[in-house]
C-alpha cells in the first residue's frame, strides 16, 4: 500500500509554490492519494483535485490573476519590489490601499477591508462542484471564530469551503456555514498534516510556505506589527505540526508577502525547483516499507 497524502500550507501568494511542486509530482507520475490544504494551500489543492493536474491549475490561476475582478482588489499596493525592498513605507501603501476602498474607511463598523460583495465576485471564478465528486480525496481547514475550533471540511461545495479556508481575518469577511463563523484555517493549523492522515494516507508530504520570521524588517507601525504577530504564530504552529510529516518541503519563497501575486510565475517556478531538488527524497519516501513507516509514526507519537 502506498497512499501519499499531501498537506499544503497557507501563505497567500507564497502558496502558489504548491503548483510548482504538484507539477513535478505529475511529471514524475508520482500518485497522490489525498490532499488537505489550508488557506492558499486549500485553494491550490482544491483546484488540483478538481482539474486532476497541476498544469490546468497553473493556467486557471494565470487567467484568474489577469481577470479584472481580481485586478480590482489592488493587492499590488501591499507588495514589495522584486528585491524584497519596500519602495514606500508599508503603512503608506496600506493607507493608500484603504483610502481607495470606502469599506476600509468604515473599519469600526465593517468586519473586513474587502467587503462581501467584492469577495463574491472574486470567488465566482472558482468552480463549485461537491467536494465528494472531486478526482482526489480532498479536505480544507478553516477556523470557527465562535468556538475557536479547527474545522476540517471533507464535504460540501468547493467554492464555499475554499472561501472559508482562505478568509484572511480583517482582509476578507468571515464565512457562515452551518451556524459556524469561519475564517482562514491558518489561525488554527497552518500546515494541516494531522488532517490529511485522516484519509488513511500512510506517508505524508508537507509543503511549508510560512514567512521567514528571522528577517522582520521595520516594525514602525501598528499594521506592520499585526502582520508580524501573524507570521510568528504561523511559524510556531507549522513548526510543531510538521513534526508529524514524513517529508517536509519548504520552497524558497519566504521573502514574499501574502499579497505578492504579481510574482506568481516566479513563485510557482521556485516551488518547481525545490521539488526537483528534493526528488530523490520523494522517491525514497514512496518506496519505503509501509510497516517501517508505521513504526516510525508510532515512535513520533510516543516521543511527543
Amino acid at each position: 500500500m502506498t497512499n501519499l497524502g499531501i498537506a499544503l500550507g497557507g501563505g497567500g501568494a507564497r502558496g502558489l509554490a504548491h503548483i510548482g511542486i504538484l507539477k513535478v509530482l505529475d511529471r514524475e507520475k508520482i500518485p497522490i492519494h489525498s490532499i488537505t490544504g489550508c488557506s492558499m494551500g486549500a485553494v491550490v489543492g482544491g483546484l488540483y483535485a478538481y482539474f486532476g493536474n497541476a498544469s490546468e491549475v497553473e493556467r486557471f490561476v494565470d487567467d484568474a490573476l489577469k481577470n479584472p475582478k481580481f485586478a480590482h482588489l489592488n493587492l499590488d499596493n501591499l507588495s514589495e519590489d522584486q528585491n524584497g525592498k519596500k519602495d514606500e513605507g508599508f503603512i503608506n501603501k496600506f493607507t493608500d490601499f484603504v483610502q481607495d476602498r470606502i469599506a476600509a474607511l468604515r473599519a469600526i463598523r465593517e468586519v473586513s477591508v474587502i467587503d462581501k460583495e467584492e469577495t463574491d465576485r472574486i470567488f465566482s471564478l472558482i468552480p463549485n462542484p461537491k467536494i465528494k465528486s472531486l478526482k482526489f480525496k480532498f479536505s480544507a481547514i478553516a477556523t470557527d471564530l465562535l468556538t475557536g475550533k479547527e474545522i476540517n471540511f471533507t464535504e460540501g461545495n468547493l467554492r464555499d469551503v475554499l472561501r472559508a479556508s482562505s478568509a484572511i481575518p480583517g482582509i476578507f469577511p468571515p464565512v457562515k456555514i452551518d451556524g459556524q463563523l469561519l475564517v482562514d484555517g491558518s489561525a488554527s493549523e497552518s500546515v494541516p498534516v494531522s488532517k490529511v492522515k485522516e484519509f488513511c494516507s500512510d506517508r505524508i508530504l508537507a509543503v511549508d510556505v510560512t514567512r521567514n520570521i528571522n528577517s522582520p524588517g521595520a516594525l514602525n507601525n501598528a499594521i506592520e506589527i499585526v502582520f508580524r504577530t501573524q507570521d510568528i504564530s504561523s511559524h510556531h504552529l507549522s513548526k510543531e505540526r510538521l513534526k508529524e510529516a514524513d517529508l517536509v518541503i519548504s520552497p524558497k519563497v519566504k521573502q514574499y508577502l501574502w499579497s505578492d501575486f504579481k510574482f506568481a510565475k516566479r513563485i510557482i517556478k521556485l516551488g518547481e525547483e525545490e521539488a526537483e531538488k528534493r526528488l530523490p527524497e520523494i522517491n525514497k519516501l514512496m518506496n519505503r516499507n509501509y510497516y517501517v513507516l508505521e513504526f516510525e509514526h508510532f515512535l513520533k507519537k510516543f516521543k511527543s
Side-chain angles (χ1 to χ4, degrees):
M1 178 170 63
T2 305
N3 292 338
L4 177 65
I6 309 287
L8 302 178
R14 296 189 299 275
L16 296 177
H18 299 317
I19 298 174
I21 288 169
L22 292 169
K23 284 177 68 177
V24 173
L25 297 183
D26 284 351
R27 188 193 71 206
E28 298 296 318
K29 297 185 175 8
I30 295 172
I32 295 173
H33 173 262
S34 51
I35 301 175
T36 296
C38 170
S39 196
M40 183 54 74
V43 174
V44 172
L47 290 172
Y48 183 80
Y50 173 75
F51 288 113
N53 69 82
S55 294
E56 284 294 323
V57 176
E58 185 176 26
R59 278 191 286 270
F60 176 89
V61 168
D62 186 56
D63 290 342
L65 293 179
K66 293 174 182 175
N67 191 293
K69 294 178 181 179
F70 185 87
H72 185 64
L73 294 180
N74 260 341
L75 292 182
D76 280 352
N77 286 346
L78 297 180
S79 296
E80 298 172 342
D81 65 22
Q82 288 190 348
N83 297 316
K85 298 177 182 178
K86 298 176 183 181
D87 51 14
E88 296 176 24
F90 182 82
I91 188 61
N92 292 332
K93 287 189 173 186
F94 188 86
T95 301
D96 290 342
F97 179 68
V98 297
Q99 284 177 344
D100 288 339
R101 323 187 67 81
I102 296 175
L105 296 176
R106 300 194 302 267
I108 293 177
R109 291 183 289 126
E110 302 292 338
V111 297
S112 60
V113 171
I114 300 171
D115 62 26
K116 183 179 182 301
E117 182 179 339
E118 197 153 18
T119 305
D120 287 343
R121 287 199 293 270
I122 292 301
F123 278 88
S124 68
L125 301 172
I126 301 286
N128 198 30
K130 295 292 184 182
I131 288 177
K132 292 289 189 183
S133 71
L134 297 175
K135 294 179 173 64
F136 300 94
K137 292 182 178 180
F138 171 75
S139 71
I141 302 296
T143 305
D144 184 5
L145 284 177
L146 301 179
T147 65
K149 291 182 179 179
E150 175 184 275
I151 309 298
N152 185 29
F153 285 97
T154 59
E155 58 184 26
N157 296 323
L158 181 63
R159 184 183 299 161
D160 293 340
V161 168
L162 297 189
R163 181 169 168 173
S165 183
S166 57
I168 303 171
I171 303 297
F172 294 104
V175 177
K176 294 180 180 179
I177 298 178
D178 297 333
Q180 299 162 326
L181 191 62
L182 302 163
V183 295
D184 194 312
S186 294
S188 53
E189 185 167 7
S190 53
V191 187
V193 174
S194 63
K195 293 299 179 284
V196 76
K197 286 185 174 182
E198 295 177 6
F199 282 127
C200 297
S201 301
D202 62 359
R203 56 207 71 205
I204 308 297
L205 170 63
V207 185
D208 177 28
V209 292
T210 51
R211 191 155 162 78
N212 187 355
I213 67 164
N214 295 321
S215 304
L219 297 172
N220 298 322
N221 55 71
I223 299 301
E224 288 172 350
I225 290 171
V226 167
F227 277 94
R228 173 64 174 164
T229 57
Q230 290 177 345
D231 288 341
I232 292 171
S233 176
S234 293
H235 170 80
H236 289 294
L237 277 171
S238 63
K239 184 178 179 181
E240 190 61 32
R241 302 291 183 146
L242 288 172
K243 293 177 182 178
E244 302 178 45
D246 297 299
L247 179 63
V248 179
I249 295 180
S250 299
K252 293 178 174 59
V253 297
K254 296 179 183 291
Q255 70 273 26
Y256 293 100
L257 292 177
W258 68 269
S259 53
D260 277 338
F261 289 96
K262 64 182 178 183
F263 302 129
K265 291 186 183 298
R266 176 62 181 153
I267 291 171
I268 292 171
K269 184 63 177 176
L270 286 169
E272 198 170 346
E273 290 173 358
E274 190 64 22
E276 288 171 346
K277 178 182 173 183
R278 304 291 297 276
L279 257 179
E281 294 169 81
I282 296 172
N283 286 323
K284 182 179 178 181
L285 174 63
M286 295 302 294
N287 292 323
R288 293 202 67 189
N289 182 276
Y290 165 76
Y291 296 103
V292 172
L293 280 171
E294 283 296 294
F295 182 67
E296 290 178 354
H297 294 163
F298 170 78
L299 288 180
K300 285 182 181 179
K301 288 182 180 178
F302 181 77
K303 289 179 180 179
S304 63

